[in-house]
């Protein structure tokens, strides 16, 4: 009887261990499934939000066409593809850039980049600024419009090379001398001013042109 009792107690203990392991298994399984479901739901929600933004962006781009027409622009092209050629370590490379709109108004040609969202609509946004700077560099134009479809506003952006600062300086000097010269009463002084203007035009032609 003593031996049977020992065997019986051992069997109960073994059964309790099995029940504990089974419970632990289901707990761990539940945690794993919950984690997997959370990750799936998070990815699904993120993708859904992204698709919603893309759909909204496409809708705003379509509305942009009518907006530009109402503003008096003539649509030259939409989603215009342009090959941008350059070199990397002497090797020729090429990238394809896509302009949202190429428009014309009063004999001038403009690039229009349509943006939506909170940050991309501003030229202060680095990515947006670099994007339209590349457009301006690749294609000859009279300006790049950043079209904020969130607020239905257009911002004309013009970029200037570094040499333009010196050009502006010399143009200012010329205008100042010409303005002062016209008001001087002495004919001899006017002649000196005229000679100075002529010298600047001759010796600094590369700067002014």
């Amino acid at each position: 009887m003593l031996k049977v009792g020992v065997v019986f107690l051992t069997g109960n203990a073994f059964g309790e261990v099995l029940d504990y392991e089974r419970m632990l298994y289901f707990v761990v399984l539940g945690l794993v499934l919950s984690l997997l479901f959370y990750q799936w739901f998070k990815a699904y929600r993120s993708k859904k939000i992204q698709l919603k933004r893309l759909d909204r962006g496409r809708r705003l781009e379509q509305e942009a066409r009518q907006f530009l027409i109402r503003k008096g622009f003539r649509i030259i092209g939409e989603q215009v593809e342009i090959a941008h050629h350059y070199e990397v370590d002497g090797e020729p490379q090429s990238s394809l850039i896509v302009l949202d709109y190429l428009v014309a108004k009063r004999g001038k040609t403009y690039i229009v980049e349509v943006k939506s969202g909170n940050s991309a609509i501003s030229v202060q946004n680095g990515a947006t600024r670099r994007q339209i700077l590349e457009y301006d560099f690749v294609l000859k134009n009279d300006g790049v419009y950043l079209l904020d479809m969130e607020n239905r506003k257009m911002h004309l952006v013009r970029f200037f090379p570094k040499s333009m600062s010196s050009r502006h300086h010399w143009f200012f000097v010329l205008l100042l001398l010409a303005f002062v010269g016209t008001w001087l009463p002495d004919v001899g002084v006017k002649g000196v001013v005229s000679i100075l203007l002529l010298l600047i035009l001759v010796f600094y032609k590369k700067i002014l042109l």
Side-chain angles (χ1 to χ4, degrees):
M1 294 295 294
L2 182 60
K3 291 182 179 179
V4 173
V6 171
V7 173
F8 178 74
L9 291 174
T10 304
N12 284 342
F14 182 72
E16 290 178 358
V17 170
L18 288 178
D19 290 339
Y20 175 77
E21 289 181 349
R22 189 179 294 109
M23 181 181 66
L24 183 62
Y25 169 78
F26 282 116
V27 170
V28 172
L29 180 62
L31 290 174
V32 171
L33 291 177
S34 299
L35 182 61
L36 290 175
F37 176 78
Y38 172 76
Q39 294 293 335
W40 172 83
F41 180 76
K42 186 178 179 181
Y44 170 78
R45 185 179 179 184
S46 177
K47 186 176 182 180
K48 189 174 181 180
I49 293 174
Q50 185 178 7
L51 290 175
K52 188 176 180 180
R53 288 177 179 173
L54 289 174
D55 290 339
R56 185 171 182 272
R58 293 192 190 98
R59 178 175 56 81
L60 289 177
E61 285 189 5
Q62 292 174 355
E63 293 178 3
R65 180 182 181 88
Q66 297 303 320
F67 179 86
L68 290 169
I69 293 174
R70 287 195 299 270
K71 288 291 183 178
F73 291 95
R74 178 172 60 87
I75 307 297
I76 299 175
E78 184 176 349
Q79 296 297 304
V80 181
E81 297 183 351
I82 298 176
H84 184 191
H85 302 285
Y86 50 94
E87 289 185 355
V88 178
D89 296 329
E91 294 293 329
Q93 302 286 337
S94 179
S95 297
L96 189 67
I97 61 176
V98 182
L99 312 179
D100 286 339
Y101 289 96
L102 191 63
V103 301
K105 187 176 183 180
R106 296 174 183 171
K108 294 185 177 181
T109 303
Y110 301 95
I111 298 170
V112 179
E113 176 63 22
V114 183
K115 289 295 184 185
S116 59
N118 295 324
S119 60
I121 59 177
S122 173
V123 74
Q124 298 300 323
N125 181 282
T128 299
R129 187 172 61 256
R130 287 188 291 272
Q131 182 182 13
I132 62 177
L133 177 60
E134 182 183 21
Y135 295 169
D136 181 70
F137 180 80
V138 171
L139 183 66
K140 185 178 179 181
N141 63 89
D142 295 296
V144 182
Y145 275 105
L146 183 60
L147 176 51
D148 170 12
M149 285 304 294
E150 294 288 347
N151 303 296
R152 301 300 194 274
K153 292 181 179 180
M154 295 183 71
H155 306 284
L156 179 59
V157 183
R158 288 193 176 99
F159 297 100
F160 300 103
K162 289 184 287 186
S163 59
M164 287 298 291
S165 58
S166 61
R167 292 182 184 179
H168 289 161
H169 171 74
W170 283 107
F171 277 126
F172 176 76
V173 171
L174 286 174
L175 288 174
L176 181 61
L177 286 174
F179 178 78
V180 172
T182 57
W183 287 94
L184 291 174
D186 194 308
V187 177
V189 178
K190 285 186 176 181
V192 173
V193 172
S194 300
I195 292 173
L196 286 175
L197 288 172
L198 182 62
L199 289 174
I200 292 175
L201 287 172
V202 171
F203 291 101
Y204 294 95
K205 185 171 69 171
K206 289 184 178 180
I207 295 176
L208 296 173
L209 296 180

